[in-house]
């Protein structure tokens, strides 16, 4: 095919309808139901055809129809009212504005953003989480600026060949046809950021910008004539290339992203951020650009590192090795060595940041997550369990500390309720409960009858069935354009049958085909004459993952069997629009990952917001929130001998739950045909989970636990010309150099008899060699608690020992008292760690000395 030059001609909107332009240009429409209703009113059919895309819709609508609308006073008033509402939303103070001393600007870096189906810059959970983060930040008034890349072909569109093999296509998106505008200088020329890359070349990028409510998003795009052909392709696809291509994307995201923020500062008045949050390791190079800037201001590398770390928050998202970017160190060296990518930073300092120079690490590898942790003073996983898994996974970076002391916390993900709650549920809440705040409504209120709720759940299921039929017919038609669609295709699924959904990226650990473990049993479950079950399945495999594609093929082949094809369907091209109908339409949302590899999992959260019950392995968020009433836990067979045995045990447990608990309860109807017990669980899920699972809760937690302390720390270290950073770096160097001389010489105890009793107080005095350090530089503490069988301390507690006056030098004395507050085996140890008010965590320097 010949390459054509393509561009988008935007519609000319009549003067009186300019409000439509303003509304389409701010992505708040993607979750603001009244605005969506307005666009749907312009043309119901085009709204559907354009996959809910206001800009495409306005481009497609005929000038005559626009003229009619322009003369329709009611419509014009409606549009103007919504525009005024948007302006108010953007300007009025919100939650964040009530916080004292909150930072005025926060940058949020992510390799993908999933905001709306019409801006397909995401592959899955990570991107949609980032989109939800921006939306909730906007709702809460958090002054965030998102930074990412604009991928010309997004991720990929999925279809299936006749034999069920995934086909990828890469549509070319025209940013001019999207709610994006290019950032320009006052003279009209596009603003560019430039990166020096090897062989004296330059990688340039223009900056697309859009508003997500109050939040600005900047997306860098290398597809411009200023670049050599190969470099134009740097932002061609999301996760498309390996090695060097991926490195170039990440250099652009991190380094280019910080430069783009400066440009946005000049041209749009975006304030210089105090806090930088990196969503996963891909954007880690942002720290280097900020360090380089401070070196330019006269700081040394260690001083600049401290200043940057203080203001950086790093979120790790995966315990799966393949999810972490690792480059050959030699490749990274080539980019940073001997030229001007970031000025003033020694390439060896760069390489040390990403080196796996700890037990179990690989030499010659540059690890982006490791760099992320070293460049951020605050780090977190995305559920409690994942925090724990991450502390184990990265413990090598803090040798000498127990797992639970590794400085990685957790903020459990949340999902943006207005985006992920079905409009029918909003309507129901409004009508029956008098509130549109579905996340905080009392779904047990007697004002809402079981029957009304059940009918809405039924309509949601019916919408899904309709949508699935439409999609399957379209897919059939695309695959075999000249054949007649078979009649059974328009009768797949039944709006009255218990519906189980499963959709996610087809990564091995998510086990798409676990349900096929015993195909005969599954067939019996689906076709049970009294209590039938149907399954709706979707998901994309990474284009390079043939194993994943084989799983899809296996599933599609099974789904084609005449005896199950009306009860089990695979819907191609899982995306946000499909998800918005799928999650609410299912009665049960299934998740069966290999525990503990699902860091959080957010699709089940979105399902729960709609009263869909979860059926899941106790992994990610479900391990934290399953309470026996909001769904079912599939027992995981972690202790099984091998993977096959584990799969068998867990698959059988899954079948048992469906057959013996879920289906009977779903089909247990009262005289009105309502499953009362089931409805109780739905109400319980809506009432208790919705507030917890909302992205508002998540973003508040990020603000309170991470952004505010990071801002305070960064401001402190940055004051008086970075005096704080200089002093902290100097102190750190001194303590690190002196540490080998630190020793706990001996510990004296007293205050208890030979046989101590509960209530006794154990007096301790420790003599510590401090070498060059003073007592102020350290914390000497007793760690004590119940002594386990292997002499480990169970749930240990800490008591700080205070230095005796004038204590210093070779054997400084530290004293304190430990209460013996419980009977049984007791143990303690005395240890020394560095102490400085600029530290966020005692483990931060990775230095510790314990009594021998
Ligand atoms: C929420 C969502 C995901 C992520 O779901 P997980 O449960 O984390 O796998 C992926 N794709 C789409 C379209 C989503 O809406």
């Amino acid at each position: 095919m010949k390459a054509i030059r393509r561009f988008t001609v935007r519609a000319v909107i009549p003067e009186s309808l300019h409000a439509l332009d303003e509304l389409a240009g701010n992505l708040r429409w993607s979750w603001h139901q009244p605005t969506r209703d307005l666009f749907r009113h312009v043309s119901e059919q085009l709204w559907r055809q354009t996959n809910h895309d206001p800009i495409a819709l306005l481009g497609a609508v005929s000038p005559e129809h626009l003229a009619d609308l322009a003369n329709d006073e009611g419509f014009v008033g409606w549009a103007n009212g919504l525009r005024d509402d948007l302006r108010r939303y953007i300007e009025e103070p919100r939650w964040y504005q009530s916080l004292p001393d909150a930072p005025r600007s926060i940058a949020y870096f992510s390799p993908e953003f999933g905001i709306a189906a019409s801006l397909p810059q995401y592959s899955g959970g990570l991107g949609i989480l980032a989109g939800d983060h921006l939306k909730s930040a906007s709702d809460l008034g958090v002054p965030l600026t998102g930074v990412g890349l604009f991928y010309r072909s997004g991720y990929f569109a999925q279809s299936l060949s006749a034999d069920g093999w995934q086909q990828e296509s890469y549509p070319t998106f025209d940013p001019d046809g999207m709610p994006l505008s290019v950032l320009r200088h006052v003279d009209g020329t596009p603003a560019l950021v430039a990166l020096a890359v090897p062989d004296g070349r330059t990688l340039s990028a223009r900056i697309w910008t859009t508003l997500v409510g109050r939040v600005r998003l900047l997306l860098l795009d290398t597809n411009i004539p200023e670049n050599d052909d190969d470099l134009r392709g740097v932002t061609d696809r999301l996760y498309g290339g390996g090695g060097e291509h991926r490195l170039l994307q990440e250099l652009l995201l991190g380094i280019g992203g910080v430069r783009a923020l400066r440009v946005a500062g000049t041209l749009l008045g975006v304030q210089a951020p105090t806090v930088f949050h990196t969503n996963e390791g891909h954007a880690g190079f942002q720290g280097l650009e900020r360090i380089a800037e401070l070196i330019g201001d006269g700081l040394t590398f260690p001083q600049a590192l401290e200043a940057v770390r203080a203001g950086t928050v790093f979120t790790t998202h995966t315990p799966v090795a393949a999810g972490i970017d690792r480059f050959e160190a030699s490749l990274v060296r080539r980019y940073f060595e001997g030229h001007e990518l970031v000025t003033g930073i020694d390439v060896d300092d760069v390489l040390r940041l990403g080196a796996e120079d700890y037990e179990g690490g690989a030499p010659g590898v540059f690890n982006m997550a490791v760099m992320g942790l070293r460049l951020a003073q605050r780090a977190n996983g995305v559920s409690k369990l994942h925090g724990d898994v991450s502390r184990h996974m990265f413990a090598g970076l803090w040798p000498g500390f127990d797992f639970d002391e590794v400085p990685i916390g957790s903020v459990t993900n949340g999902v943006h309720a207005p985006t992920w709650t079905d409009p029918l549920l909003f309507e129901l809440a409004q009508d029956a409960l008098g509130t549109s705040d579905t996340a905080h409504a009392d779904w047990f209120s007697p004002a809402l009858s079981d029957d009304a709720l059940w009918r809405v759940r039924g309509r949601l299921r019916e919408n899904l069935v309709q949508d699935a039929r439409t999609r399957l017919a379209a897919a059939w038609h695309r695959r075999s354009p000249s054949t007649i669609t078979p009649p059974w295709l328009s009768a797949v699924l039944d709006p009255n049958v218990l519906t189980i959904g499963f959709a996610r990226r087809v990564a091995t650990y998510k086990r798409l085909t676990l349900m096929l473990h015993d195909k005969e049993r599954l067939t019996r479950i689906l076709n049970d004459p009294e209590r039938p079950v149907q399954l709706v399945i979707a998901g994309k495999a990474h284009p390079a993952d043939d194993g994943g594609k084989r799983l899809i093929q296996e599933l599609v082949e099974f789904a084609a069997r005449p005896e199950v094809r009306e009860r089990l369907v695979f819907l191609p091209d899982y995306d946000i629009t499909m998800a918005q109908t799928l999650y609410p339409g299912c009665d049960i949302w299934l998740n069966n990952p290999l525990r503990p590899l699902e860091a959080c999992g957010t699709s089940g959260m979105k399902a729960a917001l709609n009263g869909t019950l979860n059926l899941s392995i106790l992994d990610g968020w479900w391990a934290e929130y399953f309470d026996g009433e909001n769904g079912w836990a599939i027992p995981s067979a972690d202790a099984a001998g091998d993977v096959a045995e584990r799969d068998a045990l867990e698959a059988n447990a899954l079948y048992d739950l469906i057959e013996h608990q879920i289906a009977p309860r779903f089909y247990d109807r009262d005289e009105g045909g309502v499953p009362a017990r089931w409805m109780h669980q739905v109400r319980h899920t809506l009432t208790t989970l919705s507030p917890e699972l909302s992205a508002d809760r998540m973003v508040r937690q990020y603000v309170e636990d991470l952004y505010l302390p990071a801002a305070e720390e960064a401001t402190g270290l940055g004051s008086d010309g970075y005096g704080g950073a200089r002093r902290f770096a100097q102190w750190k160097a001194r303590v690190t150099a002196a540490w080998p001389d630190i020793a706990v010489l001996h510990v004296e105890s007293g205050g208890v008899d030979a046989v101590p009793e509960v209530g006794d107080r154990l007096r301790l005095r420790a003599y510590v060699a401090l070498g060059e350090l003073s007592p102020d530089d350290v914390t000497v503490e007793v760690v004590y608690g119940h002594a386990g069988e292997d002499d480990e301390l169970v749930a240990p507690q800490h008591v700080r020992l205070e230095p005796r006056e004038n204590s210093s030098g070779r054997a400084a004395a530290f004293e304190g008292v430990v209460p013996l507050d419980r009977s049984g085996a007791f143990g303690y140890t005395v240890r020394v760690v560095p102490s400085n008010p600029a530290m966020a965590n005692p483990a931060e320097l990775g230095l510790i000395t314990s009594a021998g």
Side-chain angles (χ1 to χ4, degrees):
M1 204 191 298
K2 253 210 181 113
I4 55 163
R5 287 183 62 100
R6 51 184 298 159
F7 52 90
T8 302
V9 182
R10 289 206 193 191
V12 179
I13 305 290
E15 184 75 31
S16 67
L17 292 181
H18 272 185
L20 289 182
D21 258 346
E22 194 169 328
L23 289 165
N26 186 316
L27 283 156
R28 190 180 73 142
W29 63 257
S30 67
W31 73 90
H32 191 247
Q33 198 54 45
T35 308
R36 295 169 73 82
D37 291 341
L38 177 82
F39 284 118
R40 178 179 293 118
H41 181 86
V42 170
S43 163
E44 177 91 38
Q45 189 198 354
L46 288 174
W47 179 247
R48 230 178 315 113
Q49 267 172 24
T50 60
N51 205 4
H52 305 175
D53 178 347
I55 289 186
L57 172 116
L58 293 178
V61 82
S62 71
E64 296 76 35
H65 186 53
L66 276 181
D68 285 348
L69 287 173
N71 291 325
D72 176 345
E73 267 175 43
F75 183 81
V76 171
W78 183 12
N80 287 344
L82 284 170
R83 178 203 54 204
D84 295 345
D85 175 75
L86 174 63
R87 289 182 180 171
R88 251 194 324 275
Y89 169 85
I90 289 176
E91 278 155 24
E92 75 191 3
R94 304 185 80 82
W95 169 76
Y96 191 86
Q97 281 62 45
S98 68
L99 301 176
D101 303 324
R104 291 164 70 186
S105 176
I106 295 157
Y108 181 88
F109 283 68
S110 176
E112 41 175 315
F113 286 95
I115 296 161
S118 55
L119 192 61
Q121 301 290 315
Y122 64 92
S123 76
L126 183 74
I128 291 169
L129 178 81
D132 283 4
H133 196 101
L134 298 193
K135 291 172 184 176
S136 273
S138 171
D139 289 344
L140 294 168
V142 183
L144 215 69
T145 305
V147 181
L149 300 180
F150 179 79
Y151 305 96
R152 190 157 37 105
S153 296
Y155 189 45
F156 69 89
Q158 180 195 50
S159 58
L160 296 172
S161 71
D163 58 355
W165 194 252
Q166 172 177 294
Q167 312 284 305
E168 298 102 28
S169 59
Y170 294 90
T172 309
F173 299 118
D174 178 6
D176 282 321
M178 296 181 159
L180 299 171
S181 56
V182 82
L183 199 51
R184 293 177 189 279
H185 292 293
V186 197
D187 66 5
T189 55
L192 300 183
V193 296
L195 273 68
V197 292
D199 308 322
R201 298 205 299 163
T202 301
L203 170 67
S204 299
R206 59 182 163 178
I207 306 163
W208 292 101
T209 168
T210 187
L211 284 169
V212 183
R214 305 163 70 111
V215 165
R216 186 167 289 285
L217 175 61
L218 307 172
L219 300 173
L220 298 175
D221 174 12
T222 59
N223 184 28
I224 50 173
E226 284 81 353
N227 282 325
D228 294 347
D229 275 355
D230 60 326
L231 294 179
R232 283 183 76 145
V234 165
T235 54
D236 56 354
R237 303 171 181 176
L238 178 55
Y239 307 143
E244 189 157 2
H245 184 252
R246 179 73 82 96
L247 178 64
L248 275 161
Q249 288 189 336
E250 299 189 358
L251 291 168
L252 179 67
L253 174 60
I255 298 168
V258 175
R259 293 177 186 171
L261 281 165
R262 289 188 201 121
V263 175
T266 311
L267 296 177
L268 299 171
V270 173
Q271 298 232 0
T274 322
V275 175
F276 288 72
H277 182 182
T278 60
N279 190 39
E280 199 36 282
H282 310 70
F285 292 117
Q286 56 80 29
L288 296 181
E289 172 66 6
R290 291 162 57 211
I291 289 173
E293 179 176 19
L294 294 178
I295 289 177
D297 291 346
L299 270 63
T300 64
F301 177 82
Q303 294 164 350
L305 175 63
E306 292 315 326
V308 164
R309 282 180 74 247
T312 307
V313 174
F314 172 61
T315 302
T316 172
H317 281 268
T318 177
V320 180
I324 290 178
D325 278 313
R326 297 160 89 228
F327 297 108
E328 286 180 24
S330 57
L331 179 66
V332 178
R333 174 177 289 281
R334 195 156 70 76
Y335 273 81
F336 283 92
E337 190 160 56
H339 69 98
E340 303 293 296
L341 178 52
V342 285
T343 25
I345 305 186
D346 192 88
V347 65
D348 291 312
D349 283 330
V350 174
L351 293 180
R352 257 192 296 278
L353 287 169
E356 295 187 351
D357 51 0
Y358 44 81
E359 209 183 308
V365 162
F366 189 89
N367 183 314
M368 294 298 285
V370 166
M371 176 168 72
L373 290 166
R374 287 182 174 145
L375 281 174
Q377 198 175 23
R378 288 170 178 78
N380 67 289
V382 292
S383 68
K384 287 195 173 125
L385 177 61
H386 178 238
D388 193 49
V389 170
S390 302
R391 288 189 284 278
H392 281 76
M393 187 168 167
F394 294 110
L397 274 77
W398 294 274
F401 288 89
D402 289 339
F403 291 125
D404 58 4
E405 294 177 302
V406 168
I408 302 175
S410 71
V411 176
T412 303
N413 286 342
V415 297
H416 185 245
T419 299
W420 294 108
T421 308
D422 195 279
L424 285 178
L425 224 60
F426 278 118
E427 230 172 81
L428 180 68
Q430 193 71 66
D431 292 350
L433 306 172
T435 174
S436 58
D437 185 1
T438 53
H440 298 93
D442 173 14
W443 291 92
F444 279 110
S445 160
L448 174 65
S449 69
D450 268 3
D451 186 56
L453 183 56
W454 174 241
R455 268 188 281 124
V456 165
R457 294 285 319 153
R459 283 175 65 197
L460 296 171
R461 195 185 312 108
E462 203 167 311
N463 288 346
L464 167 60
V465 169
Q466 285 310 333
D467 188 57
R469 287 176 184 169
T470 310
R471 286 174 186 275
L472 287 170
W476 181 283
H477 189 70
R478 210 173 305 123
R479 201 169 53 215
S480 333
S482 51
T483 61
I484 298 169
T485 45
W488 63 264
L489 201 60
S490 52
V492 295
L493 304 178
D494 180 332
N496 297 309
V497 163
L498 167 60
T499 305
I500 303 181
F502 181 102
R504 43 190 50 87
R505 286 183 302 111
V506 185
T508 318
Y509 76 90
K510 293 188 184 244
R511 294 193 294 188
L512 170 72
T513 54
L514 185 74
M515 62 183 85
L516 300 185
H517 176 75
D518 181 344
K519 293 186 172 124
E520 272 56 59
R521 186 163 177 197
L522 176 63
T523 306
R524 277 201 309 279
I525 291 174
L526 297 175
N527 291 317
D528 187 292
E530 308 273 293
R531 304 197 281 245
V533 173
Q534 59 194 5
L535 269 155
V536 184
I537 301 156
K540 294 176 173 179
H542 186 276
D545 178 15
D546 279 352
K549 293 184 204 177
R550 263 191 296 280
L551 297 181
I552 292 178
Q553 188 175 40
E554 190 188 342
L555 194 93
V556 171
E557 277 171 1
F558 178 76
R561 292 185 181 183
E563 66 272 26
V564 298
R565 67 189 181 195
E566 287 168 35
R567 289 265 186 269
L568 186 150
V569 297
F570 181 88
L571 305 180
D573 212 24
Y574 181 35
D575 73 351
I576 290 179
T577 312
M578 182 198 294
Q580 284 175 325
T581 308
L582 178 56
Y583 306 147
C586 291
D587 301 290
I588 290 283
W589 193 250
L590 170 65
N591 192 16
N592 48 227
L594 268 175
R595 179 187 154 101
L597 297 181
E598 183 83 288
C600 178
T602 48
S603 55
M605 295 177 153
K606 301 172 203 163
L609 294 194
N610 291 283
T612 300
L613 306 180
N614 276 270
L615 164 61
S616 170
I617 296 274
L618 284 171
D619 201 3
W621 75 279
W622 193 235
E624 207 167 311
Y625 284 109
F626 168 65
D627 70 359
E629 192 59 29
N630 49 17
W632 288 267
I634 306 168
S636 44
D638 305 30
D642 57 28
V643 179
E645 186 189 347
R646 183 169 175 174
D647 282 357
L649 289 168
E650 295 181 4
N652 285 322
L654 166 65
Y655 299 138
D656 285 345
L657 282 169
I658 296 174
E659 248 178 340
H660 304 311
Q661 298 199 31
I662 296 170
R665 191 162 298 168
F666 181 83
Y667 288 105
D668 176 17
R669 306 295 167 85
D670 63 18
E671 56 279 13
V674 177
R677 182 74 181 80
W678 189 278
M679 293 329 287
H680 183 83
Q681 287 187 262
V682 170
R683 290 180 193 261
H684 175 76
T685 295
L686 288 169
T687 305
T688 60
L689 283 183
S690 304
E692 288 293 317
L693 304 185
S694 91
D696 283 4
R697 187 269 307 147
M698 168 182 76
V699 170
R700 280 176 204 241
Q701 219 174 328
Y702 273 107
V703 168
E704 287 167 350
D705 298 352
L706 296 160
Y707 298 165
L708 293 180
E712 193 184 329
E713 193 71 55
T715 309
L717 292 196
S719 62
D720 67 81
Y722 289 93
R726 291 174 209 264
R727 283 189 293 278
F728 186 41
Q730 197 178 24
W731 175 85
K732 211 161 161 174
R734 183 165 65 81
V735 169
T736 306
W739 204 258
D741 295 330
I742 306 294
V744 181
L745 299 171
H746 74 278
V747 179
E748 290 171 357
S749 62
V752 294
D753 297 331
V755 185
E757 291 177 356
V758 171
D760 284 356
R761 291 157 64 81
L762 179 68
R763 278 205 313 272
L764 292 177
R765 178 184 293 165
Y767 293 93
V768 179
L770 290 178
E772 299 291 308
L773 301 185
S774 82
D776 290 346
D777 294 324
V778 297
T779 298
V780 177
E781 59 185 5
V782 192
V783 185
Y784 69 95
H786 178 69
E789 287 184 2
D790 298 324
D791 265 4
E792 84 285 10
L793 292 175
V794 181
Q797 288 176 279
H798 299 223
V799 163
R800 194 187 158 110
L801 302 183
E802 298 299 333
R804 284 180 66 190
E805 263 179 59
N806 304 324
S807 208
S808 67
R810 291 169 48 97
F814 292 78
E815 295 177 335
V817 172
V818 175
L820 302 182
D821 46 14
R822 46 180 290 184
S823 59
F826 183 85
Y828 71 89
T829 180
V830 173
R831 63 185 206 172
V832 190
V833 291
S835 168
N836 187 298
M839 288 165 64
N841 188 290
E844 200 171 306
L845 272 57
L847 299 174
I848 183 166
T849 298
S850 297

